[in-house]
Amino acid sequence: AQPVDSAPTPAQVAEVGRLLAGAQRPLVIAGGSRWTENAVASLHVFAETFALPVAVTFRRQMLFDHTHPNYAGDIGLGINPKLVALVKDADVILLLGGRFSEVPSQSYGLLGIPETGKTLIHVHPGAEELGRVYNPDLAINATPGGFLDAVAGLEAPASPAWAGRAEAAHAAYTAWSEPPATIPGDVQMGAVMSWLRDTLPDDAILTNGAGNYATWIHRFWRFRRFATQAAPVCGSMGYGLPAAVAAKLLHPERDVVCFAGDGCFQMTGLEFGTAVQEGANLIVLVIDNGMYGTIRMHQEREYPGRVSGTALTNPDFAALARAYGGHGETVERTEEFAPAFERARASGRPAILHVRLDPEALTPNRSLSDIRAAGRQR
């Protein structure tokens, strides 16, 4: 049976129009589930009609085209400080489909609880979620598509008070999402991400699990289309490879690229055998820095120099791919990545590219040594 769509009442639609018309600094935050390709397209039209900046929540980046002039960025881990300011400055927030839970809310720090300190329009397909954490000024039990279909007839103000805010927010996102020129080591992940952005088609599906390596996707990949992202919102290590197998079997004609840290990959790495067995010709990028990077980052920040249980002794991941009958190559320098990726695509087999990243390159902006030094100054 198909899930039932729910929609706002005419009175609720009119109230949405009234609240937006009276806004000075409105913001749309899209997230959650029950989205469809048509709903995403409708959100684009709604944002354009009302000149609204649109942000998305943690790992829901496929809900809005990142090159669209109304896109403001993702509200998740490692958030753009200018996007934090945009949320805090907003006087009307349309929270569409999401719950605004711990990660997007920045540990429940962006909005007041239960009174948000703003005018909150909360649209959610689960009635039990409305009012559970935040007291909305207008609560609407509706799916994203049902809501957007209902408000499609609203007329936008001729001269909105917030004119230009969407463009400014998008400019801030664009600057934030430019990869860094240099990081420690011989593999420059900024250059890798730029090459992938220029090479992969808009319908390529990217998957990942949990770890600092995922920052390279979330901050620097520009999602363009719906159904191009599969990633956990609950910190599940190892999620990326099984998700990529499923995605490739469902969409064999599309490029499917799994990002995995070395520790993340080893949680479910044997599923590469499933990919070979089922002919799911995905490409896995194992970003290997020899450690559980996120946990190490927290150790160095809170207890600098006191490292416990985060070092890893890894296999030769490229050899593992070949042992399964797949394609495997090792990338130790930036210039080796592009030709290795193209050979993996042309191989007609599932592939692993073992990308050796310098342990110092713990985040795009701060090295391991920087984090340790900052921890000692606390």
Side-chain angles (χ1 to χ4, degrees):
Q2 293 293 320
V4 176
D5 271 338
S6 48
T9 65
Q12 288 174 326
V13 171
E15 183 66 1
V16 170
R18 187 188 72 81
L19 291 175
L20 285 177
Q24 298 291 313
R25 300 173 302 281
L27 173 66
V28 177
I29 301 175
S33 56
R34 297 296 305 276
W35 287 87
T36 64
E37 189 169 5
N38 286 339
V40 167
S42 296
L43 176 57
H44 283 79
V45 173
F46 180 71
E48 292 164 3
T49 300
F50 280 83
L52 294 166
V54 178
V56 295
T57 59
F58 184 51
R59 291 177 175 164
R60 289 295 182 265
Q61 289 160 278
M62 65 175 182
L63 298 182
F64 210 85
D65 180 354
H66 288 25
T67 65
H68 192 284
N70 292 64
Y71 182 65
D74 65 296
I75 305 176
L77 298 175
I79 185 174
N80 182 354
K82 291 188 176 180
L83 183 52
V84 170
L86 188 73
V87 176
K88 289 184 174 181
D89 188 48
D91 63 342
V92 175
I93 290 180
L94 170 56
L95 179 56
L96 179 54
R99 298 186 298 122
F100 216 60
S101 53
E102 182 177 4
V103 172
S105 69
Q106 311 300 296
S107 298
Y108 294 101
L110 280 183
L111 302 180
I113 297 174
E115 304 304 328
T116 63
K118 305 175 184 299
T119 298
L120 176 65
I121 305 168
H122 193 182
V123 181
H124 198 276
E128 72 285 351
E129 191 60 41
L130 297 168
R132 190 158 75 97
V133 177
Y134 306 101
N135 283 341
D137 297 85
L138 177 59
I140 299 177
N141 179 207
T143 59
F147 172 81
L148 289 162
D149 285 346
V151 299
L154 285 175
E155 289 190 16
S159 301
W162 59 88
R165 288 180 67 84
E167 291 82 357
H170 183 65
Y173 157 74
T174 301
W176 178 252
S177 64
E178 283 301 327
T182 58
I183 58 173
D186 294 327
V187 174
Q188 296 297 311
M189 284 299 298
V192 167
M193 294 309 301
S194 293
W195 185 86
L196 287 171
R197 267 188 355 197
D198 293 340
T199 304
L200 289 175
D202 292 348
D203 68 350
I205 299 171
L206 272 65
T207 74
N208 62 272
N212 272 26
Y213 71 89
T215 303
W216 294 103
I217 308 169
H218 295 317
R219 181 169 169 183
F220 303 113
W221 178 258
R222 290 177 179 161
F223 288 89
R224 301 291 309 279
R225 292 176 53 176
F226 181 65
T228 56
Q229 182 180 32
V233 295
C234 53
S236 302
M237 294 182 69
Y239 180 94
L241 179 55
V245 173
K248 189 63 176 179
L249 291 176
L250 187 62
H251 299 288
E253 76 288 356
R254 292 165 65 178
D255 287 283
V256 176
V257 179
C258 167
F259 277 69
D262 44 335
C264 189
F265 180 84
Q266 293 192 83
M267 299 290 175
T268 58
L270 297 184
E271 294 302 331
F272 189 79
T274 305
V276 175
Q277 179 174 314
E278 300 299 327
N281 297 333
L282 50 84
I283 298 176
V284 184
L285 307 183
V286 178
I287 313 300
D288 177 8
N289 63 358
M291 69 180 82
Y292 291 118
T294 302
I295 304 171
R296 179 66 178 272
M297 176 181 70
H298 293 312
Q299 288 177 345
E300 297 286 8
R301 187 181 64 202
E302 303 298 332
Y303 307 101
R306 293 175 58 186
V307 177
S308 176
T310 48
L312 292 171
T313 299
N314 290 320
D316 182 334
F317 293 108
L320 179 65
R322 296 191 293 270
Y324 273 114
H327 181 88
E329 296 194 38
T330 300
V331 174
E332 296 184 311
R333 302 185 64 82
T334 308
E335 58 269 23
E336 297 170 355
F337 179 82
F341 191 93
E342 293 292 14
R343 287 190 292 268
R345 285 176 98 184
S347 70
R349 292 175 288 164
I352 293 176
L353 298 186
H354 182 179
V355 181
R356 294 187 178 274
L357 193 65
D358 193 303
E360 280 289 314
L362 204 50
T363 78
N365 302 107
R366 302 179 73 197
S367 69
L368 186 153
S369 295
D370 291 338
I371 294 168
R372 182 188 300 131
R376 284 175 173 157
Q377 293 173 6
R378 288 167 63 115

